[in-house]
Amino acid sequence: MRALIVVDVQNDFCPGGALATDRGAEVAADITTYLRAAREAGTYGAVVGTKDWHIDPAGHFAPEGTAPDFEETWPVHCLADSDGAQSHPALDTSLIDAWFLKGEHTAAYSGFEGHPAGAPESSLADWLRDHDVDAVDVCGIATDFCVRATALDAVAEGFDVRVLTDLCAPVTPGGGAVAFTQMSYVGVDLIDNHFH
C-alpha cells in the first residue's frame, strides 16, 4: 500500500513566516488540490503530515545576538503550539489521517524522526508498517532540508519512495536542485505532476 507524507507545510515556512520559502503558500494550495483528486481516485491508503514542533531544540536555533548560518543554526521557528507551527491555511488538514511531530528537544529534519502527538515511544516508520504501507510519496517544505531528509530516511527504512517535485518548495532553487540529485542517486523516483 502507498502513503503520502506531507512534510512541514507550516506557517513559518511560508511567506510571512520566520523561515519562509518563496513557494510555500503556493505549494500548500497545490497539495490540497492534489490530495482532493488523489482521495477521489483512491491513490493512497493513508496520508500523514509532519510538523516541526520545537520546544528547546538544542543548538538548532542561532544563539541570541548571533546570525544563523542557515545550515546548522536557524532563526527561531515553529515553536510548539505557536501560530508559526500551525499548518498553512491553504492546506486542507481534514485530508490528513495522522500527524507526526518532530524536533521538540533536538534538530530534526526527517519526518522519520517524528512521533504521533502524545505517543513519543512510537515512530512514523512503525505507524506506516502497522498500516501495511510499503511505498511512500513525499511532498512539502523545504525540498533541500526536511523533504530531502524524509525521502532519504524512507529509502533507508526500506520503503519504495517517490518525491512529487512540483509539490515541494525549496529554500533556494540551487539547494532544491542539489537535493533532487541526491534523492535520485539513492533510488528515489522524482515525479512531476505537471500542475504548472
Side-chain angles (χ1 to χ4, degrees):
M1 188 171 81
R2 184 173 292 276
L4 178 67
I5 304 172
V6 179
V7 176
D8 297 6
V9 180
Q10 294 167 271
N11 289 325
D12 268 348
F13 298 136
C14 294
L19 205 49
T21 57
D22 289 344
R23 292 189 57 236
E26 181 186 334
V27 161
D30 285 349
I31 289 171
T32 292
T33 302
Y34 174 75
L35 261 179
R36 287 178 179 152
R39 177 148 287 191
E40 240 172 73
T43 306
Y44 298 108
V47 178
V48 300
T50 69
K51 285 182 176 178
D52 247 12
W53 201 253
H54 296 314
I55 295 169
D56 182 19
H60 187 54
F61 294 157
E64 207 172 321
T66 65
D69 65 18
F70 296 96
E71 285 294 330
E72 300 290 330
T73 61
W74 304 90
V76 173
H77 62 276
C78 295
L79 291 171
D81 294 316
S82 69
D83 184 59
Q86 302 310 314
S87 297
H88 188 275
L91 178 68
D92 182 350
T93 56
S94 73
L95 300 169
I96 309 273
D97 299 313
W99 290 98
F100 293 82
L101 308 179
K102 60 189 175 66
E104 284 102 329
H105 298 285
T106 183
Y109 296 96
S110 168
F112 285 89
E113 296 175 82
H115 62 82
E121 70 289 342
S122 186
S123 71
L124 176 55
D126 291 341
W127 191 95
L128 293 170
R129 291 193 185 101
D130 288 347
H131 289 77
D132 298 320
V133 171
D134 56 7
V136 296
D137 289 356
V138 182
C139 64
I141 307 172
T143 313
D144 25 358
F145 291 94
C146 295
V147 170
R148 175 183 64 183
T150 301
L152 296 181
D153 277 0
V155 170
E157 289 282 356
F159 295 98
D160 177 55
V161 186
R162 304 189 305 196
V163 168
L164 309 181
T165 58
D166 58 345
L167 296 180
C168 296
V171 174
T172 66
V178 168
F180 285 143
T181 300
Q182 290 172 324
M183 290 185 256
S184 181
Y185 183 78
V186 298
V188 173
D189 285 329
L190 303 178
I191 307 292
D192 186 332
N193 282 292
H194 310 296
F195 270 143
H196 304 290

